[in-house]
Amino acid sequence: MSGEQAGHAEYDLAIVGGGINGCGIARDAAGRGLKVLLVEQGDLASATSSASTKLIHGGLRYLEHYEFSLVRKSLNERERLMKLAPHLVRPMRFVLPFVKGDRPAWMLRAGFWFYDHLARSSLPKTRYLDLADDPAGVPLKSGFHLGFEYSDCTTDDARLVVANAIGAREKGATIRTHTRLTAARREGECWRLILQAGGVRQTATARILVNAAGPWVARLNEIMLRLPSDHAIRLVKGSHIVVPRLHAHERAYFFQNDDGRLVFAIPYQDQFTLIGTTEVDVGDEPELPFASAEEIIYLCAVASRYFRTPVEPSKVVWHYAGIRPLVDDGAGNATDVTRDFTIAVDGSPGEPPLLSVLGGKLTTYRRLAEATLDKLGKYFAMQAPWTAEEPLPGGDLDDRGVAGLIADIRERH
């Protein structure tokens, strides 16, 4: 993708960062009539946005931290994205085996009841399983009896980002990959941006600058823009491993560990199982995250606690890690840090504002984009919010959905 290749360009909005939040904001803004530029120093979804657990979910474990509003918003977005992107967001059933000595059964029953109640979803509700008789118990070690089966969704995270970028471009946005912002300064009522692409220096101006750089959001503000942030960011690494497929059925697993953490084991690319995630504080250095030997051993141990087939580091065919830029709410444990987002605005009256996107999660990217555009209402006369109703590119299927599309393709070919 490329826009104007050189010289000076005028934009209403310049966005730094080609992850899910940046591309979601670009699509929303362009669809409201704004002239939008998005720059990404690498490829789209080349960092955190392609290193997730590939889930669109409400965040069942957030109930333990009383984040009911976040869970409700996430579940609402899960339902909406199933309609707007049926080709990318796929329902899946998850099985949580009960382990005596971990969370008590009454707590799990209450949590699943509340999760279903908040969802008000078209997806099947939670049901109880006898793992001694159900096929979900076959891959597990003996001794597991009670299980809870509930609904959430999986996705291809990188494709979801690209779909938003394509949608933004279709609405008129300029998407520039492999384009690095090297400097930005306020000049009158505009931001002047210095860009570097393929060894060529370029400039652009924009009335508003949006920092959606993910793990680099604080670094961009403090080092490049020389603007200290009033909000502390906590960088938390999440690592995943991929091993040969551990079970034949199409359900996923949600495992409790004896340290209180919860780990997913999800069917992945037909032949594999994706296991994750860890949560490790990484300080203030977001460069080149990778799954450490300790994290790989940890994930293998959690999976081996449940599966009959031992999961050993030697069986890992791939591993990856991403860094989540979370709003630091003072929680002692990285697991307890909120996944909600904040949109911070910097700029005195008469100055071009800077909006910094802090925190957030894949599932709620569309709401984050709407919240960002809400902040811009006093700067622009914009069209009304629209992304809650218009499908993402490729998602405009009929009522038969993906199954109908596959049937049509089979009939034709």
Side-chain angles (χ1 to χ4, degrees):
M1 297 180 183
S2 64
E4 300 170 53
Q5 296 299 309
H8 181 273
E10 294 286 345
Y11 296 93
D12 295 317
L13 201 65
I15 302 165
V16 181
I20 188 62
N21 291 332
C23 291
I25 293 167
R27 177 174 180 255
D28 193 336
R32 299 199 201 197
L34 300 185
K35 189 173 183 183
V36 177
L37 168 68
L38 181 144
V39 296
E40 161 58 45
Q41 65 179 351
D43 287 322
L44 297 174
S46 58
T48 304
S49 292
S50 60
S52 76
T53 315
K54 323 298 181 189
L55 298 180
I56 298 295
H57 66 136
L60 180 64
R61 69 179 180 83
Y62 306 152
L63 293 175
E64 289 187 312
H65 306 296
Y66 309 108
E67 294 200 71
F68 305 125
S69 176
L70 175 60
V71 174
R72 183 184 294 108
K73 287 188 293 186
S74 299
L75 287 168
N76 288 342
E77 286 304 295
R78 184 193 73 182
E79 194 76 6
R80 182 171 283 116
L81 287 171
M82 282 193 292
K83 298 175 182 178
L84 301 181
H87 57 314
L88 297 176
V89 177
R90 180 167 62 96
M92 181 171 281
R93 296 289 277 175
F94 290 75
V95 176
L96 188 150
F98 170 69
V99 178
K100 191 174 182 179
D102 288 343
R103 292 166 180 82
W106 68 263
M107 180 184 293
L108 294 174
R109 288 190 177 97
F112 283 115
W113 178 89
F114 202 36
Y115 199 63
D116 288 339
H117 180 73
L118 289 173
R120 303 181 184 276
S121 174
S122 60
L123 296 178
K125 296 186 181 300
T126 301
R127 70 185 184 110
Y128 306 137
L129 303 178
D130 181 352
L131 294 174
D133 293 329
D134 192 278
V138 173
L140 303 179
K141 291 180 176 178
S142 61
F144 295 108
H145 298 286
L146 175 62
F148 300 85
E149 182 185 280
Y150 71 100
S151 295
D152 259 322
C153 292
T154 62
T155 191
D156 184 321
D157 48 10
R159 285 185 64 198
L160 187 63
V161 175
V162 173
N164 275 275
I166 292 171
R169 186 183 62 181
E170 289 176 347
K171 299 292 184 181
T174 299
I175 308 295
R176 302 286 306 277
T177 59
H178 298 280
T179 301
R180 186 182 186 89
L181 176 69
T182 60
R185 62 179 181 273
R186 288 178 166 119
E187 290 187 358
E189 297 182 351
C190 293
W191 283 94
R192 176 168 291 277
L193 313 177
I194 309 300
L195 309 173
Q196 190 82 15
V200 178
R201 181 178 180 273
Q202 305 164 6
T203 64
T205 61
R207 292 177 60 188
I208 295 178
L209 179 62
V210 176
N211 179 357
W216 296 272
V217 61
R219 178 184 294 183
L220 190 149
N221 283 349
E222 295 171 4
I223 297 178
M224 191 172 298
L225 306 181
R226 298 181 181 179
L227 296 172
S229 175
D230 293 331
H231 299 269
I233 289 293
R234 186 166 177 174
L235 300 180
V236 176
K237 181 177 64 166
S239 294
H240 300 76
I241 60 174
V242 176
V243 299
R245 187 72 173 257
L246 293 168
H247 59 278
H249 62 78
E250 291 302 317
R251 287 174 282 182
Y253 291 94
F254 193 28
F255 295 144
Q256 302 181 82
N257 197 33
D258 52 13
D259 60 0
R261 281 198 44 74
L262 294 157
V263 171
F264 291 97
I266 303 169
Y268 184 66
Q269 299 296 323
D270 297 328
Q271 301 178 46
F272 304 99
T273 297
L274 172 64
I275 301 171
T277 178
T278 60
E279 291 183 314
V280 179
D281 284 302
V282 295
D284 59 357
E285 186 54 55
E287 300 290 356
L288 298 175
F290 63 93
S292 68
E294 291 78 12
E295 289 174 291
I296 292 172
I297 291 170
Y298 173 86
L299 293 173
C300 288
V302 175
S304 295
R305 182 186 182 193
Y306 289 87
F307 287 116
R308 292 180 185 273
T309 302
V311 181
E312 301 169 348
S314 61
K315 295 182 179 179
V316 174
V317 297
W318 181 46
H319 57 79
Y320 64 90
I323 295 179
R324 310 179 192 99
L326 306 179
V327 178
D328 193 347
D329 58 4
N333 193 309
T335 303
D336 301 333
V337 182
T338 181
R339 266 51 177 176
D340 215 342
F341 60 80
T342 297
I343 311 298
V345 182
D346 176 86
S348 302
E351 286 186 327
L354 165 71
L355 273 65
S356 298
V357 177
L358 312 171
K361 59 198 293 283
L362 184 69
T363 304
T364 55
Y365 84 87
R366 195 201 62 81
R367 285 187 68 110
L368 182 150
E370 276 193 348
T372 303
L373 270 293
D374 287 345
K375 298 280 189 181
L376 304 183
K378 62 182 178 181
Y379 302 104
F380 300 111
M382 295 184 294
Q383 299 170 19
W386 62 280
T387 59
E389 302 298 331
E390 184 169 322
L392 284 164
D396 51 345
L397 306 177
D398 59 27
D399 292 338
R400 297 180 303 153
V402 175
L405 175 63
I406 293 172
D408 289 345
I409 292 171
R410 283 176 172 166
E411 183 177 347
R412 289 199 302 269
H413 301 286

